[in-house]
Amino acid sequence: MTINRRELLGYSAAALGVAAVGLPRIAKAAAGELTIAYNVNLPSWDPTTGPSAVNPTIQGLYQSVFDQFIPQKPDLSFAPGLLTEWGWNDDRTKIMMTVREGVTWHDGSPFTAEDVVWSLQRAGDEKTGNPIQFVWKNVNNFKIDGNKITGDVVQFDPVYFKWMSFLTGYILPKAYYEKVGAEGFEKAPIGTGPYMVEKFERNAFLRLKANPTYWGGKPAFENVTIKFVTDAASRVAEIESGSSQVTLEIPYEEYDRLIAKDGLAGSCKNVSDIGMIFFNDIEAMLDKNVRQAAVMSIDKKLLVDRLLRGYGQPIDTLETPEYTAYDASIKVEHNPEKAKELLAASGYSPEKPVKFTIQTTKGFKPKDYEMIQAIVGMWRKVGIEATIEVYEIAKHYELRAADKLAPAAFYNWGNAIGDPTTSTGFAMYGPSPHSVWDSQDLIDMINPLWGEKDEAKRIAGWKAVDKYIAEQAYVLPLMQYAQPIVHAKGVNVVQHVSGALLPALMTPA
């Protein structure tokens, strides 16, 4: 099975008051009101089309309003949701699903199996613009019998059901969407999720109201205001002043400082996100000596300990310990002296360095820019002179889809379902727009794994791919992130390993 680039293309506020003496005001949270200072804007309300659909950082907003086919618990295990049962037949030629009964959309209309089939057919239609269409098209000819659905497998995809818990895996309302159209849905979105959209001001705030008939139980907070605060320092000010009761993704030193204050608490757990540096197979990165030197000259533990204050975990592949294909035996040594020798073999030295550009975000993740500054300093000592170019995350998506990233580019990769296809696969498979490394050797290794029906063989194959990538230094994995969340002590927050901040999991203390 081969996936081509065209198939994959596209996967690619008002302050509410300030409390005195800098202490968080938690009375509103106790009264059923909750305000969250969020780190990104919400560009679109359709969770199944366009760049927003594959942006891991906004999935928590989508999951508050819409339900996925199959939800994940905070520990990433799969649970019954709008689909209560799912699976394959013995020879993997058909799928079977059972749909939850008695659920209603936010407008009061009944949710049915027709909504499930319509959502899957729409997702698999090339004309719709779903960036994961290449997955959804693999099953068609759906048939409905009451609350039972069957479908014919066109091409076996071992992670088809896992995608139902991941990017674009949302059920939308067939009748309502066909009535109002894409533009009308953008203005007044409805779902079956725990919260309903009350008001949305683009680039400012989102106001949500609890869904009183939610099948999973009405959320504890009646009203939730999510303020879009993209600047980390401003999010710190939000939580410190009491204007917001919850915030996330702030510098770790600020996290430590804030949770020590009266009235504030927090949690900072490893999530499924990783920090990595893409290598593009252009210019200096075509030289294996340069790539290997760039990788082994980085002291990842020092980065985690000094810049991230010990939060997070260094990694040597694009898999974290929670991922299915994680292999602890794959190690890349930190050896600056050997890095110098490799560079010298290619004619480079600290006095005559190899030169290239590295791109990075600034403030998107805690200490992202500072981390790249530190890496550039480590590189300089061995004979690599890298020029830093700052871009917004949206620009990264655009450049990556067009295969126009710089020779090195920092990125935060999210993989909530923990499968190797959605980490190493998409990031390193040349025809994918999520990859900028296009060497045929890697394409040939990965091709047979897309449709491998033997699960043990599939995972072993991906582990072999990860080992080969580490040996060839085709990418620079840095660390698994820990996500800092600070909240008023009047609010209980359950951290989700996917990194999604979900108000439906929050309760008054």
Side-chain angles (χ1 to χ4, degrees), residues 302-341:
L302 185 67
L303 292 175
V304 170
D305 290 346
R306 293 280 179 86
L307 283 175
L308 308 186
R309 297 175 73 89
Y311 295 111
Q313 175 172 321
I315 53 174
D316 290 314
T317 70
L318 298 182
E319 319 284 348
T320 77
E322 293 82 6
Y323 292 7
T324 315
Y326 176 72
D327 186 344
S329 72
I330 302 173
K331 297 289 184 187
V332 178
E333 64 176 332
H334 169 234
N335 192 333
E337 291 307 313
K338 188 173 179 182
K340 284 182 183 178
E341 292 172 11

mmCIF file of all heavy atoms in Angstrom, residues 302-341:
data_model
loop_
_atom_site.group_PDB
_atom_site.id
_atom_site.type_symbol
_atom_site.label_atom_id
_atom_site.label_comp_id
_atom_site.label_asym_id
_atom_site.label_seq_id
_atom_site.Cartn_x
_atom_site.Cartn_y
_atom_site.Cartn_z
ATOM 1 N N LEU A 302 19.998 18.492 29.789
ATOM 2 C CA LEU A 302 20.301 19.842 30.260
ATOM 3 C C LEU A 302 19.190 20.812 29.860
ATOM 4 O O LEU A 302 18.798 21.680 30.649
ATOM 5 C CB LEU A 302 21.641 20.314 29.684
ATOM 6 C CG LEU A 302 22.150 21.657 30.195
ATOM 7 C CD1 LEU A 302 22.514 21.572 31.673
ATOM 8 C CD2 LEU A 302 23.352 22.129 29.374
ATOM 9 N N LEU A 303 18.661 20.661 28.645
ATOM 10 C CA LEU A 303 17.558 21.516 28.191
ATOM 11 C C LEU A 303 16.342 21.343 29.098
ATOM 12 O O LEU A 303 15.727 22.326 29.517
ATOM 13 C CB LEU A 303 17.182 21.182 26.747
ATOM 14 C CG LEU A 303 18.188 21.519 25.655
ATOM 15 C CD1 LEU A 303 17.689 21.009 24.311
ATOM 16 C CD2 LEU A 303 18.454 23.023 25.583
ATOM 17 N N VAL A 304 16.004 20.095 29.396
ATOM 18 C CA VAL A 304 14.845 19.826 30.248
ATOM 19 C C VAL A 304 15.082 20.353 31.659
ATOM 20 O O VAL A 304 14.224 21.025 32.242
ATOM 21 C CB VAL A 304 14.529 18.316 30.273
ATOM 22 C CG1 VAL A 304 13.488 17.998 31.351
ATOM 23 C CG2 VAL A 304 14.023 17.852 28.913
ATOM 24 N N ASP A 305 16.278 20.089 32.206
ATOM 25 C CA ASP A 305 16.554 20.488 33.586
ATOM 26 C C ASP A 305 16.651 22.000 33.754
ATOM 27 O O ASP A 305 16.126 22.561 34.720
ATOM 28 C CB ASP A 305 17.850 19.829 34.076
ATOM 29 C CG ASP A 305 17.703 18.334 34.283
ATOM 30 O OD1 ASP A 305 16.552 17.857 34.311
ATOM 31 O OD2 ASP A 305 18.733 17.647 34.408
ATOM 32 N N ARG A 306 17.331 22.665 32.819
ATOM 33 C CA ARG A 306 17.586 24.102 32.982
ATOM 34 C C ARG A 306 16.424 24.963 32.477
ATOM 35 O O ARG A 306 15.980 25.880 33.169
ATOM 36 C CB ARG A 306 18.862 24.478 32.218
ATOM 37 C CG ARG A 306 20.121 23.858 32.799
ATOM 38 C CD ARG A 306 20.630 24.617 34.029
ATOM 39 N NE ARG A 306 21.832 23.986 34.576
ATOM 40 C CZ ARG A 306 23.051 24.235 34.147
ATOM 41 N NH1 ARG A 306 23.246 25.083 33.141
ATOM 42 N NH2 ARG A 306 24.089 23.629 34.712
ATOM 43 N N LEU A 307 15.968 24.689 31.254
ATOM 44 C CA LEU A 307 14.938 25.551 30.659
ATOM 45 C C LEU A 307 13.534 25.149 31.094
ATOM 46 O O LEU A 307 12.669 26.002 31.281
ATOM 47 C CB LEU A 307 15.024 25.511 29.136
ATOM 48 C CG LEU A 307 16.154 26.329 28.510
ATOM 49 C CD1 LEU A 307 16.192 26.112 27.009
ATOM 50 C CD2 LEU A 307 15.974 27.816 28.806
ATOM 51 N N LEU A 308 13.301 23.852 31.249
ATOM 52 C CA LEU A 308 11.964 23.381 31.599
ATOM 53 C C LEU A 308 11.868 22.981 33.071
ATOM 54 O O LEU A 308 10.885 22.373 33.484
ATOM 55 C CB LEU A 308 11.573 22.197 30.701
ATOM 56 C CG LEU A 308 11.711 22.427 29.184
ATOM 57 C CD1 LEU A 308 11.159 21.242 28.417
ATOM 58 C CD2 LEU A 308 11.019 23.713 28.752
ATOM 59 N N ARG A 309 12.919 23.307 33.836
ATOM 60 C CA ARG A 309 12.939 23.087 35.280
ATOM 61 C C ARG A 309 12.642 21.630 35.656
ATOM 62 O O ARG A 309 12.018 21.346 36.687
ATOM 63 C CB ARG A 309 11.957 24.032 35.976
ATOM 64 C CG ARG A 309 12.315 25.496 35.794
ATOM 65 C CD ARG A 309 11.270 26.416 36.373
ATOM 66 N NE ARG A 309 11.272 26.444 37.828
ATOM 67 C CZ ARG A 309 12.010 27.265 38.574
ATOM 68 N NH1 ARG A 309 12.820 28.115 38.001
ATOM 69 N NH2 ARG A 309 11.919 27.233 39.886
ATOM 70 N N GLY A 310 13.090 20.708 34.804
ATOM 71 C CA GLY A 310 12.927 19.293 35.081
ATOM 72 C C GLY A 310 11.596 18.712 34.657
ATOM 73 O O GLY A 310 11.372 17.504 34.785
ATOM 74 N N TYR A 311 10.697 19.548 34.141
ATOM 75 C CA TYR A 311 9.405 19.055 33.670
ATOM 76 C C TYR A 311 9.568 18.532 32.243
ATOM 77 O O TYR A 311 10.050 19.234 31.366
ATOM 78 C CB TYR A 311 8.357 20.168 33.700
ATOM 79 C CG TYR A 311 8.023 20.674 35.086
ATOM 80 C CD1 TYR A 311 8.397 21.953 35.500
ATOM 81 C CD2 TYR A 311 7.318 19.869 35.982
ATOM 82 C CE1 TYR A 311 8.081 22.420 36.774
ATOM 83 C CE2 TYR A 311 6.997 20.331 37.254
ATOM 84 C CZ TYR A 311 7.377 21.598 37.644
ATOM 85 O OH TYR A 311 7.060 22.048 38.906
ATOM 86 N N GLY A 312 9.126 17.293 32.015
ATOM 87 C CA GLY A 312 9.283 16.697 30.696
ATOM 88 C C GLY A 312 10.313 15.588 30.712
ATOM 89 O O GLY A 312 10.930 15.292 31.741
ATOM 90 N N GLN A 313 10.521 14.960 29.557
ATOM 91 C CA GLN A 313 11.407 13.803 29.468
ATOM 92 C C GLN A 313 12.137 13.795 28.134
ATOM 93 O O GLN A 313 11.501 13.862 27.078
ATOM 94 C CB GLN A 313 10.570 12.520 29.619
ATOM 95 C CG GLN A 313 11.366 11.241 29.425
ATOM 96 C CD GLN A 313 10.542 10.015 29.774
ATOM 97 O OE1 GLN A 313 9.769 10.023 30.731
ATOM 98 N NE2 GLN A 313 10.694 8.958 29.008
ATOM 99 N N PRO A 314 13.468 13.719 28.127
ATOM 100 C CA PRO A 314 14.206 13.629 26.865
ATOM 101 C C PRO A 314 13.808 12.369 26.095
ATOM 102 O O PRO A 314 13.524 11.332 26.689
ATOM 103 C CB PRO A 314 15.670 13.551 27.307
ATOM 104 C CG PRO A 314 15.690 14.132 28.687
ATOM 105 C CD PRO A 314 14.373 13.753 29.296
ATOM 106 N N ILE A 315 13.767 12.461 24.763
ATOM 107 C CA ILE A 315 13.426 11.305 23.930
ATOM 108 C C ILE A 315 14.415 11.204 22.762
ATOM 109 O O ILE A 315 15.016 12.205 22.357
ATOM 110 C CB ILE A 315 11.982 11.389 23.372
ATOM 111 C CG1 ILE A 315 11.744 12.730 22.636
ATOM 112 C CG2 ILE A 315 10.961 11.187 24.474
ATOM 113 C CD1 ILE A 315 10.406 12.837 21.944
ATOM 114 N N ASP A 316 14.564 10.001 22.227
ATOM 115 C CA ASP A 316 15.486 9.771 21.119
ATOM 116 C C ASP A 316 14.790 9.301 19.847
ATOM 117 O O ASP A 316 15.428 9.108 18.814
ATOM 118 C CB ASP A 316 16.555 8.756 21.523
ATOM 119 C CG ASP A 316 17.527 9.330 22.543
ATOM 120 O OD1 ASP A 316 17.985 10.470 22.342
ATOM 121 O OD2 ASP A 316 17.806 8.664 23.556
ATOM 122 N N THR A 317 13.468 9.057 19.935
ATOM 123 C CA THR A 317 12.665 8.755 18.748
ATOM 124 C C THR A 317 11.410 9.619 18.820
ATOM 125 O O THR A 317 11.217 10.358 19.792
ATOM 126 C CB THR A 317 12.254 7.269 18.695
ATOM 127 O OG1 THR A 317 11.281 7.007 19.722
ATOM 128 C CG2 THR A 317 13.460 6.350 18.874
ATOM 129 N N LEU A 318 10.554 9.513 17.826
ATOM 130 C CA LEU A 318 9.302 10.271 17.836
ATOM 131 C C LEU A 318 8.199 9.540 18.604
ATOM 132 O O LEU A 318 7.019 9.810 18.420
ATOM 133 C CB LEU A 318 8.846 10.559 16.403
ATOM 134 C CG LEU A 318 9.808 11.414 15.570
ATOM 135 C CD1 LEU A 318 9.227 11.686 14.190
ATOM 136 C CD2 LEU A 318 10.142 12.729 16.267
ATOM 137 N N GLU A 319 8.592 8.611 19.476
ATOM 138 C CA GLU A 319 7.643 7.875 20.310
ATOM 139 C C GLU A 319 7.906 8.207 21.779
ATOM 140 O O GLU A 319 9.057 8.271 22.205
ATOM 141 C CB GLU A 319 7.798 6.360 20.117
ATOM 142 C CG GLU A 319 8.028 5.883 18.698
ATOM 143 C CD GLU A 319 6.793 5.894 17.815
ATOM 144 O OE1 GLU A 319 5.683 6.065 18.349
ATOM 145 O OE2 GLU A 319 6.947 5.742 16.597
ATOM 146 N N THR A 320 6.839 8.377 22.552
ATOM 147 C CA THR A 320 6.981 8.544 24.001
ATOM 148 C C THR A 320 6.663 7.207 24.680
ATOM 149 O O THR A 320 6.119 6.300 24.044
ATOM 150 C CB THR A 320 6.021 9.622 24.543
ATOM 151 O OG1 THR A 320 4.692 9.070 24.622
ATOM 152 C CG2 THR A 320 6.019 10.859 23.657
ATOM 153 N N PRO A 321 6.953 7.064 25.963
ATOM 154 C CA PRO A 321 6.678 5.789 26.646
ATOM 155 C C PRO A 321 5.215 5.338 26.551
ATOM 156 O O PRO A 321 4.933 4.153 26.654
ATOM 157 C CB PRO A 321 7.072 6.080 28.099
ATOM 158 C CG PRO A 321 8.147 7.113 27.980
ATOM 159 C CD PRO A 321 7.730 7.982 26.823
ATOM 160 N N GLU A 322 4.292 6.291 26.335
ATOM 161 C CA GLU A 322 2.869 5.916 26.235
ATOM 162 C C GLU A 322 2.498 5.394 24.846
ATOM 163 O O GLU A 322 1.430 4.815 24.666
ATOM 164 C CB GLU A 322 1.974 7.133 26.557
ATOM 165 C CG GLU A 322 2.050 7.606 27.983
ATOM 166 C CD GLU A 322 3.251 8.508 28.263
ATOM 167 O OE1 GLU A 322 3.979 8.856 27.308
ATOM 168 O OE2 GLU A 322 3.463 8.859 29.433
ATOM 169 N N TYR A 323 3.354 5.619 23.854
ATOM 170 C CA TYR A 323 3.021 5.233 22.482
ATOM 171 C C TYR A 323 3.214 3.731 22.280
ATOM 172 O O TYR A 323 4.087 3.109 22.895
ATOM 173 C CB TYR A 323 3.897 5.977 21.471
ATOM 174 C CG TYR A 323 3.669 7.466 21.359
ATOM 175 C CD1 TYR A 323 2.829 8.161 22.226
ATOM 176 C CD2 TYR A 323 4.317 8.197 20.367
ATOM 177 C CE1 TYR A 323 2.645 9.522 22.106
ATOM 178 C CE2 TYR A 323 4.134 9.561 20.237
ATOM 179 C CZ TYR A 323 3.303 10.225 21.116
ATOM 180 O OH TYR A 323 3.124 11.580 20.981
ATOM 181 N N THR A 324 2.442 3.168 21.371
ATOM 182 C CA THR A 324 2.438 1.719 21.143
ATOM 183 C C THR A 324 3.789 1.176 20.699
ATOM 184 O O THR A 324 4.161 0.054 21.040
ATOM 185 C CB THR A 324 1.383 1.364 20.076
ATOM 186 O OG1 THR A 324 0.179 2.079 20.351
ATOM 187 C CG2 THR A 324 1.073 -0.114 20.086
ATOM 188 N N ALA A 325 4.535 1.955 19.904
ATOM 189 C CA ALA A 325 5.798 1.453 19.337
ATOM 190 C C ALA A 325 7.030 1.996 20.062
ATOM 191 O O ALA A 325 8.128 1.974 19.511
ATOM 192 C CB ALA A 325 5.872 1.796 17.849
ATOM 193 N N TYR A 326 6.861 2.471 21.286
ATOM 194 C CA TYR A 326 8.011 2.976 22.034
ATOM 195 C C TYR A 326 9.023 1.857 22.273
ATOM 196 O O TYR A 326 8.675 0.748 22.674
ATOM 197 C CB TYR A 326 7.548 3.551 23.373
ATOM 198 C CG TYR A 326 8.680 4.015 24.261
ATOM 199 C CD1 TYR A 326 9.392 5.167 23.956
ATOM 200 C CD2 TYR A 326 9.039 3.287 25.404
ATOM 201 C CE1 TYR A 326 10.428 5.591 24.772
ATOM 202 C CE2 TYR A 326 10.066 3.714 26.226
ATOM 203 C CZ TYR A 326 10.763 4.868 25.902
ATOM 204 O OH TYR A 326 11.788 5.284 26.697
ATOM 205 N N ASP A 327 10.280 2.139 22.019
ATOM 206 C CA ASP A 327 11.353 1.162 22.217
ATOM 207 C C ASP A 327 12.472 1.838 23.010
ATOM 208 O O ASP A 327 13.233 2.648 22.477
ATOM 209 C CB ASP A 327 11.871 0.682 20.853
ATOM 210 C CG ASP A 327 12.900 -0.444 20.982
ATOM 211 O OD1 ASP A 327 13.424 -0.647 22.097
ATOM 212 O OD2 ASP A 327 13.181 -1.103 19.960
ATOM 213 N N ALA A 328 12.559 1.499 24.288
ATOM 214 C CA ALA A 328 13.531 2.142 25.182
ATOM 215 C C ALA A 328 14.971 1.814 24.805
ATOM 216 O O ALA A 328 15.905 2.490 25.248
ATOM 217 C CB ALA A 328 13.266 1.720 26.626
ATOM 218 N N SER A 329 15.170 0.784 23.980
ATOM 219 C CA SER A 329 16.536 0.393 23.621
ATOM 220 C C SER A 329 17.159 1.312 22.563
ATOM 221 O O SER A 329 18.371 1.273 22.343
ATOM 222 C CB SER A 329 16.556 -1.050 23.114
ATOM 223 O OG SER A 329 15.967 -1.155 21.829
ATOM 224 N N ILE A 330 16.344 2.113 21.902
ATOM 225 C CA ILE A 330 16.870 3.014 20.867
ATOM 226 C C ILE A 330 17.416 4.266 21.547
ATOM 227 O O ILE A 330 16.665 5.065 22.105
ATOM 228 C CB ILE A 330 15.792 3.386 19.837
ATOM 229 C CG1 ILE A 330 15.217 2.128 19.179
ATOM 230 C CG2 ILE A 330 16.369 4.330 18.767
ATOM 231 C CD1 ILE A 330 14.028 2.381 18.272
ATOM 232 N N LYS A 331 18.718 4.425 21.514
ATOM 233 C CA LYS A 331 19.368 5.553 22.180
ATOM 234 C C LYS A 331 20.298 6.268 21.208
ATOM 235 O O LYS A 331 20.927 5.642 20.357
ATOM 236 C CB LYS A 331 20.200 5.066 23.379
ATOM 237 C CG LYS A 331 19.389 4.412 24.481
ATOM 238 C CD LYS A 331 18.556 5.421 25.239
ATOM 239 C CE LYS A 331 17.812 4.795 26.398
ATOM 240 N NZ LYS A 331 16.873 5.757 27.020
ATOM 241 N N VAL A 332 20.372 7.586 21.347
ATOM 242 C CA VAL A 332 21.340 8.390 20.589
ATOM 243 C C VAL A 332 22.220 9.101 21.607
ATOM 244 O O VAL A 332 21.724 9.836 22.458
ATOM 245 C CB VAL A 332 20.632 9.424 19.687
ATOM 246 C CG1 VAL A 332 21.662 10.279 18.961
ATOM 247 C CG2 VAL A 332 19.724 8.713 18.683
ATOM 248 N N GLU A 333 23.518 8.877 21.538
ATOM 249 C CA GLU A 333 24.415 9.413 22.554
ATOM 250 C C GLU A 333 24.595 10.931 22.420
ATOM 251 O O GLU A 333 24.504 11.488 21.333
ATOM 252 C CB GLU A 333 25.785 8.735 22.466
ATOM 253 C CG GLU A 333 26.541 8.983 21.163
ATOM 254 C CD GLU A 333 27.937 8.371 21.170
ATOM 255 O OE1 GLU A 333 28.522 8.249 22.264
ATOM 256 O OE2 GLU A 333 28.427 8.022 20.084
ATOM 257 N N HIS A 334 24.850 11.555 23.568
ATOM 258 C CA HIS A 334 25.262 12.964 23.579
ATOM 259 C C HIS A 334 26.777 12.972 23.596
ATOM 260 O O HIS A 334 27.397 12.574 24.584
ATOM 261 C CB HIS A 334 24.683 13.677 24.805
ATOM 262 C CG HIS A 334 25.276 15.045 25.017
ATOM 263 N ND1 HIS A 334 25.848 15.432 26.214
ATOM 264 C CD2 HIS A 334 25.418 16.090 24.168
ATOM 265 C CE1 HIS A 334 26.307 16.666 26.094
ATOM 266 N NE2 HIS A 334 26.059 17.085 24.876
ATOM 267 N N ASN A 335 27.386 13.402 22.486
ATOM 268 C CA ASN A 335 28.835 13.310 22.355
ATOM 269 C C ASN A 335 29.363 14.458 21.487
ATOM 270 O O ASN A 335 29.580 14.303 20.286
ATOM 271 C CB ASN A 335 29.210 11.959 21.747
ATOM 272 C CG ASN A 335 30.699 11.668 21.845
ATOM 273 O OD1 ASN A 335 31.520 12.582 21.897
ATOM 274 N ND2 ASN A 335 31.054 10.388 21.838
ATOM 275 N N PRO A 336 29.573 15.641 22.084
ATOM 276 C CA PRO A 336 30.033 16.803 21.313
ATOM 277 C C PRO A 336 31.380 16.568 20.620
ATOM 278 O O PRO A 336 31.608 17.088 19.517
ATOM 279 C CB PRO A 336 30.147 17.909 22.366
ATOM 280 C CG PRO A 336 29.259 17.473 23.486
ATOM 281 C CD PRO A 336 29.319 15.986 23.494
ATOM 282 N N GLU A 337 32.268 15.799 21.247
ATOM 283 C CA GLU A 337 33.578 15.558 20.629
ATOM 284 C C GLU A 337 33.442 14.738 19.352
ATOM 285 O O GLU A 337 34.091 15.030 18.338
ATOM 286 C CB GLU A 337 34.506 14.852 21.622
ATOM 287 C CG GLU A 337 34.926 15.728 22.789
ATOM 288 C CD GLU A 337 35.514 17.064 22.343
ATOM 289 O OE1 GLU A 337 36.371 17.056 21.442
ATOM 290 O OE2 GLU A 337 35.093 18.105 22.878
ATOM 291 N N LYS A 338 32.585 13.737 19.390
ATOM 292 C CA LYS A 338 32.348 12.953 18.184
ATOM 293 C C LYS A 338 31.662 13.802 17.112
ATOM 294 O O LYS A 338 31.917 13.649 15.913
ATOM 295 C CB LYS A 338 31.503 11.722 18.499
ATOM 296 C CG LYS A 338 31.385 10.754 17.325
ATOM 297 C CD LYS A 338 30.683 9.468 17.727
ATOM 298 C CE LYS A 338 30.550 8.522 16.550
ATOM 299 N NZ LYS A 338 29.829 7.266 16.914
ATOM 300 N N ALA A 339 30.793 14.717 17.541
ATOM 301 C CA ALA A 339 30.134 15.630 16.606
ATOM 302 C C ALA A 339 31.174 16.471 15.868
ATOM 303 O O ALA A 339 31.078 16.682 14.651
ATOM 304 C CB ALA A 339 29.145 16.524 17.351
ATOM 305 N N LYS A 340 32.177 16.948 16.611
ATOM 306 C CA LYS A 340 33.263 17.720 15.983
ATOM 307 C C LYS A 340 34.011 16.891 14.952
ATOM 308 O O LYS A 340 34.348 17.374 13.859
ATOM 309 C CB LYS A 340 34.258 18.214 17.050
ATOM 310 C CG LYS A 340 33.782 19.388 17.874
ATOM 311 C CD LYS A 340 34.888 19.807 18.846
ATOM 312 C CE LYS A 340 34.427 20.931 19.750
ATOM 313 N NZ LYS A 340 35.482 21.311 20.713
ATOM 314 N N GLU A 341 34.265 15.606 15.289
ATOM 315 C CA GLU A 341 34.973 14.718 14.359
ATOM 316 C C GLU A 341 34.163 14.501 13.080
ATOM 317 O O GLU A 341 34.715 14.508 11.975
ATOM 318 C CB GLU A 341 35.239 13.371 15.036
ATOM 319 C CG GLU A 341 36.234 13.438 16.186
ATOM 320 C CD GLU A 341 36.317 12.119 16.949
ATOM 321 O OE1 GLU A 341 35.754 11.112 16.447
ATOM 322 O OE2 GLU A 341 36.913 12.096 18.040
#
